[in-house]
Amino acid sequence: AQSVSQHNHHVILSEAASLELGCNYSYGGTVNLFWYVQYPGQHLQLLLKYFSGDPLVKGIKGFEAEFIKSKFSFNLRKPSVQWSDTAEYFCAVSPNNNAGNMLTFGGGTRLMVKP
Amino acid sequence: EPEVTQTPSHQVTQMGQEVILRCVPISNHLYFYWYRQILGQKVEFLVSFYNNEISEKSEIFDDQFSVERPDGSNFTLKIRSTKLEDSAMYFCASRTNGNTIYFGEGSWLTVV
């Protein structure tokens, strides 16, 4: 079974600071990787995803993530955060086996951006 | 953009009562899911459904839970006899043959 770890539970940044949220996973096979964002009071929204190819993927709102296979990591980055990025961020993994593609989520990282 | 829609958005129910949470997945999607998020905890997988049957389920999805796709558009989660610990946000999700899963806005269930 796969598992996902997000080591930063709470992050507080000032506007314009750079962001990097860590995500590590464990799984014996090939995986699909996702970052979802949950703004206060809203549902989970897909930020970006990696299935194959270029390990650096760009998502919406200036976010990007890099898949480093050797480190089992898929860290999320943004060079300059805004107050509107305040949200909870979830890393998720699903096995790339074309079956149910069950998502396993990390525990989430709450980001607060101070204006 | 097509969306997964869920009803009700909020429900308060007494312990022991039956609850049905409803979802309308995106119309051309083939795989359907229920996840839940207890307040302050991580999002947890409950069940996946494909071709009119359960394809995977977690340990959480015990005999008190059931899913149904009664009419080709709705996808329901029934909790037969609710417990206090069933209080959570329940998310429905769906996907096509691709790997991206789209989530609904959630149904917030409070058991008192």
Side-chain angles (χ1 to χ4, degrees):
Chain A
Q2 61 266 32
S3 67
V4 182
S5 297
Q6 292 179 244
H7 305 296
N8 312 105
H9 299 295
H10 292 89
V11 173
I12 301 174
L13 294 173
S14 298
E15 274 195 315
S18 65
L19 170 73
E20 181 160 1
L21 302 182
C23 172
N24 288 91
Y25 70 92
S26 66
Y27 181 67
T30 310
V31 293
N32 301 314
L33 297 152
F34 306 83
W35 276 97
Y36 283 87
V37 60
Q38 188 176 29
Y39 297 103
Q42 296 188 26
H43 65 295
L44 291 163
Q45 299 174 41
L46 182 67
L47 209 48
L48 49 76
K49 61 192 177 190
Y50 171 82
F51 296 157
S52 64
D54 188 346
L56 183 63
V57 291
K58 296 192 183 299
I60 59 172
K61 305 185 182 187
F63 286 91
E64 64 179 31
E66 185 175 12
F67 171 49
I68 302 179
K69 190 174 180 180
S70 60
K71 295 184 179 181
F72 298 90
S73 70
F74 190 56
N75 291 355
L76 181 71
R77 299 194 291 251
K78 185 170 183 178
S80 176
V81 294
Q82 301 171 307
W83 176 79
S84 57
D85 293 324
T86 294
E88 188 156 18
Y89 293 80
F90 294 93
C91 181
V93 162
S94 71
N96 189 359
N97 59 12
N98 222 24
N101 276 40
M102 178 189 89
L103 277 175
T104 299
F105 285 85
T109 298
R110 286 185 185 274
L111 171 65
M112 179 185 293
V113 180
K114 298 184 293 183
Chain B
E1 184 179 313
E3 293 182 336
V4 176
T5 56
Q6 290 185 239
T7 54
S9 56
H10 294 88
Q11 182 160 354
V12 180
T13 190
Q14 288 196 324
M15 196 167 53
Q17 295 296 303
E18 176 183 283
V19 160
I20 297 176
L21 305 179
R22 290 182 168 79
C23 170
V24 179
I26 296 172
S27 63
N28 62 337
H29 284 193
L30 303 172
Y31 297 83
F32 313 110
Y33 305 85
W34 284 100
Y35 287 78
R36 79 171 185 192
Q37 185 181 23
I38 294 171
L39 189 64
Q41 298 186 25
K42 64 168 65 177
V43 178
E44 301 171 292
F45 168 76
L46 293 179
V47 66
S48 61
F49 192 86
Y50 171 71
N51 202 24
N52 285 321
E53 60 184 22
I54 290 173
S55 48
E56 281 182 277
K57 60 182 181 179
S58 71
E59 295 171 351
I60 303 166
F61 195 86
D62 61 22
D63 292 343
Q64 293 298 311
F65 291 88
S66 62
V67 288
E68 211 176 34
R69 189 160 159 78
D71 57 12
S73 64
N74 291 288
F75 178 53
T76 61
L77 174 70
K78 183 191 291 186
I79 309 174
R80 190 170 303 122
S81 176
T82 50
K83 304 187 285 284
L84 295 176
E85 54 265 37
D86 294 327
S87 295
M89 177 76 90
Y90 288 81
F91 291 104
C92 176
S94 68
R95 71 175 177 94
T96 62
N97 281 321
N99 292 317
T100 302
I101 297 177
Y102 294 87
F103 286 84
E105 293 200 352
S107 293
W108 194 221
L109 175 66
T110 301
V111 182
V112 298

